[in-house]
Amino acid sequence: MIRVLLADDQSLVRAGFKALLDAQPDIAVVGEAADGEQAVRGVREVRPDVVLMDIRMPLLDGLAATRRITGEPGLDGVKVVMLTTFELDEYVFEAIRSGASGFLVKDTEPDELLRAVRAVVEGDALLSPGVTRRLIAEFAARSKEPAAADALAALTEREREVMALVGIGLSNEEIARRLVVSPLTAKTHVSRTMVKLGARDRAQLVVLAYESGLVRPGWLG
């Protein structure tokens, strides 16, 4: 059972998400929060698998709440999916840097929301369709001078290749086609790379790909 906490200051939004999620046999809503402070407290109390976190909330916004959750020892298994009204919300870039595992617009299709919840539990990053490459392009435009490549010393040549493809926004299926391997093999390489680098999920792997210099701006073919 996937345990979800809903954090949104609009009760109708929470009610809609709760009805959808609780109707699934493998998902249960175990908590709700109307602001960021409540969200952090709720996560500490119920330890959900996934938090659906609105970016704009009173007292403590979703971005600050995400930083607290992802930075707190003992909560490293909690995945945060950011919710916003606008596809190109100005906070999305920082949300991914803060440890969010995904990003969805609130009017996303119900099936996509359900896929999102299940995907992040599996360690995949989730972004609304059309956002992934634009977000990566934004990251590339803002990224600092690459750090020393020594950070990738533990990776094999194939793992570096897979990490670079993750960094330009390819899914496991697209990576599999590019490297002529099975999707399961591609997923295994991605998982091993995340473990070696201590990345929480795929979104952090994208950040590390740019910060290490493995992927550079302009590689968005």
Side-chain angles (χ1 to χ4, degrees):
M1 184 67 69
I2 300 171
R3 305 169 75 251
V4 178
L5 185 142
L6 302 174
D8 194 295
D9 61 337
Q10 298 182 45
S11 58
L12 283 177
V13 171
R14 295 199 309 273
F17 283 152
K18 179 176 171 58
L20 173 65
L21 295 169
D22 278 343
Q24 307 306 307
D26 60 333
I27 302 174
V29 174
V30 296
E32 296 185 41
D35 59 61
E37 293 283 4
Q38 287 183 11
V40 174
R41 288 198 302 272
V43 168
R44 289 169 179 161
E45 291 171 4
V46 302
R47 301 297 175 94
D49 299 302
V50 180
V51 181
L52 295 181
M53 180 87 74
D54 187 22
I55 286 183
R56 295 183 176 89
M57 290 189 293
L59 299 183
L60 187 71
D61 66 29
L63 184 58
T66 297
R67 285 200 191 100
R68 288 193 189 179
I69 293 168
T70 60
E72 185 167 318
L75 298 181
D76 54 330
V78 179
K79 307 295 185 182
V80 179
V81 175
M82 306 301 298
L83 299 170
T84 185
T85 306
F86 304 103
E87 195 171 74
L88 294 178
D89 192 291
E90 65 268 25
Y91 296 121
V92 175
F93 171 80
E94 290 301 333
I96 298 299
R97 290 294 299 269
S98 297
S101 298
F103 166 72
L104 287 172
V105 288
K106 288 184 180 180
D107 61 355
T108 190
E109 293 296 323
D111 285 347
E112 187 183 347
L113 176 66
L114 297 174
R115 281 197 300 270
V117 170
R118 295 176 177 123
V120 294
V121 169
E122 294 298 318
D124 291 333
L126 194 289
L127 300 170
S128 292
V131 171
T132 305
R133 285 177 176 80
R134 288 205 300 274
L135 178 61
I136 290 172
E138 179 73 5
F139 182 91
R142 300 189 189 192
S143 61
K144 303 170 292 187
E145 189 67 24
D150 293 348
L152 307 182
L155 302 184
T156 65
E157 195 61 38
R158 175 46 63 95
E159 287 166 348
R160 288 180 184 232
E161 188 175 11
V162 168
M163 182 177 175
L165 295 175
V166 171
I168 63 172
L170 300 192
S171 66
N172 287 346
E173 290 74 18
E174 291 169 329
I175 292 172
R177 289 196 295 271
R178 182 76 66 92
L179 300 180
V180 196
V181 298
S182 72
L184 179 59
T185 297
K187 182 177 181 179
T188 298
H189 283 311
V190 172
S191 297
R192 287 177 179 168
T193 302
M194 289 193 295
V195 169
K196 286 184 177 181
L197 297 179
R200 287 173 56 93
D201 52 36
R202 199 181 190 95
Q204 277 202 335
L205 204 57
V206 171
V207 173
L208 291 172
Y210 277 95
E211 290 187 336
S212 66
L214 184 63
V215 177
R216 297 178 186 277
W219 291 12
L220 300 174

